[in-house]
């Protein structure tokens, strides 16, 4: 079982460059999430999706965009990279049970991004 | 709005000693509560969760947590620490109301095991 797969694992960007963090899951989960993790700050929600074609902003969406064209994929795009976006990014997925969200998240291994 | 407070960014215990990691939550409705563990350079994995059944929840690797509504707490314990328990631990809360907007995480507690 692959679970949640993120690529790339590491990336260095220059200020102003753009890139996409890829996330795919093979568990047929309808909910998907992007979090960023900064030292001593826990995880902050960037964007989430409740299904293909539906996305919504989380707590810290500025500077990011997402799309959800399929159930499996949930890419995160950084348009104009800034040093403040240096972080570790985690993609996660979740499922519902009898129509109710269970809350349990399954995480990828993370993508470490440095913006210089 | 929900929030989670983890008391102590770092906790150090001796191998074989009791592990106690504290978590208090704030939620307008009875929540779902979770503990996740993160080993170095890895993603988070679920240790245990509370979803309204028994208030004492047992998880993997000998960990357990007790939901205390009167104290709004969900502390994580393990009777005897092992070196392999060294990791970052996150408490998280979810709105039982069924909203889709993920979990709210605490800032994490780094558990250090002294030999």
């Amino acid at each position: 079982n692959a679970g949640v797969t993120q690529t790339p694992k590491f990336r260095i960007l220059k200020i102003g460059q753009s890139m996409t963090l890829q996330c795919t899951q093979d568990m047929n989960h309808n909910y998907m999430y992007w979090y960023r993790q900064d030292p001593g700050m826990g995880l902050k929600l960037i964007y989430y999706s409740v299904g293909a074609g539906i996305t919504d902003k989380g707590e810290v969406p500025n500077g990011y965009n997402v799309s959800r064209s399929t159930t499996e994929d949930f890419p995160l795009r950084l348009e104009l990279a800034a040093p403040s976006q240096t972080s570790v990014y985690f993609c996660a997925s979740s499922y519902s049970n009898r129509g109710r969200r269970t809350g349990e998240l399954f995480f990828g291994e993370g993508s470490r991004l440095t913006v210089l | 709005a929900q929030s989670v407070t983890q008391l102590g960014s770092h906790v150090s215990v001796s191998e074989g000693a009791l592990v106690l990691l504290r978590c208090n939550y704030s939620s307008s409705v009875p929540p779902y509560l979770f503990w996740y563990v993160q080993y170095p350079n890895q993603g988070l994995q679920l240790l245990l969760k509370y979803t309204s059944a028994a208030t004492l929840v047992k998880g993997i690797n000998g960990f357990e947590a007790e939901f205390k509504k009167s104290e709004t707490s969900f502390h994580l314990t393990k009777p005897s620490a092992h070196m392999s328990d060294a990791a970052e631990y996150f408490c998280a809360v979810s709105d039982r109301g069924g909203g889709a907007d993920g979990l709210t995480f605490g800032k994490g507690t780094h558990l250090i095991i002294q030999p």
Side-chain angles (χ1 to χ4, degrees):
Chain A
N1 270 347
V4 178
T5 303
Q6 293 182 234
T7 57
K9 286 186 168 35
F10 303 93
R11 183 73 185 268
I12 298 174
L13 282 181
K14 294 182 179 178
I15 294 172
Q17 286 186 320
S18 300
M19 77 158 298
T20 300
L21 300 178
Q22 301 291 345
C23 175
T24 186
Q25 53 95 5
D26 63 359
M27 297 174 284
N28 200 34
H29 287 173
N30 43 343
Y31 302 107
M32 295 189 75
Y33 307 86
W34 274 104
Y35 285 89
R36 60 177 288 172
Q37 182 183 28
D38 300 296
M41 298 302 294
L43 282 79
K44 301 290 187 184
L45 182 64
I46 305 171
Y47 269 96
Y48 66 96
S49 170
V50 302
I54 306 170
T55 62
D56 209 343
K57 296 178 180 179
E59 184 180 356
V60 290
N62 292 343
Y64 307 95
N65 276 301
V66 294
S67 60
R68 184 96 181 269
S69 57
T70 66
T71 299
E72 294 79 19
D73 300 308
F74 191 42
L76 177 72
R77 182 148 182 91
L78 287 71
E79 290 293 348
L80 291 171
S84 61
Q85 294 177 304
T86 294
S87 189
V88 181
Y89 292 85
F90 287 99
C91 181
S93 69
S94 185
Y95 62 97
S96 57
N97 187 354
R98 298 179 181 175
R100 293 189 66 82
R101 184 173 57 89
T102 63
E104 179 179 349
L105 299 185
F106 295 77
F107 284 84
E109 293 191 344
S111 297
R112 186 176 297 275
L113 177 66
T114 302
V115 182
L116 301 175
Chain B
Q2 302 164 108
S3 66
V4 174
T5 302
Q6 291 184 240
L7 187 61
S9 59
H10 292 77
V11 170
S12 180
V13 302
S14 299
E15 190 174 17
L18 171 72
V19 175
L20 171 60
L21 305 182
R22 299 179 187 273
C23 173
N24 288 89
Y25 69 91
S26 170
S27 176
S28 58
V29 297
Y32 293 149
L33 292 159
F34 305 81
W35 276 99
Y36 281 83
V37 61
Q38 183 182 31
Y39 298 104
N41 299 315
Q42 294 187 25
L44 283 72
Q45 61 185 82
L46 183 69
L47 264 183
L48 51 79
K49 62 181 178 181
Y50 167 75
T51 57
S52 83
T55 56
L56 182 62
V57 182
K58 294 187 183 299
I60 61 172
N61 301 336
F63 284 93
E64 62 183 35
E66 186 173 8
F67 172 67
K68 292 186 176 180
K69 184 178 178 180
S70 60
E71 300 177 6
T72 60
S73 69
F74 191 57
H75 301 331
L76 181 70
T77 60
K78 182 174 180 177
S80 178
H82 191 272
M83 295 299 291
S84 61
D85 295 327
E88 190 86 16
Y89 291 80
F90 293 94
C91 182
V93 62
S94 171
D95 183 352
R96 183 183 291 272
D101 55 346
L103 301 181
T104 299
F105 286 86
K107 293 184 177 182
T109 298
H110 186 64
L111 178 62
I112 301 163
I113 310 297
Q114 305 279 7

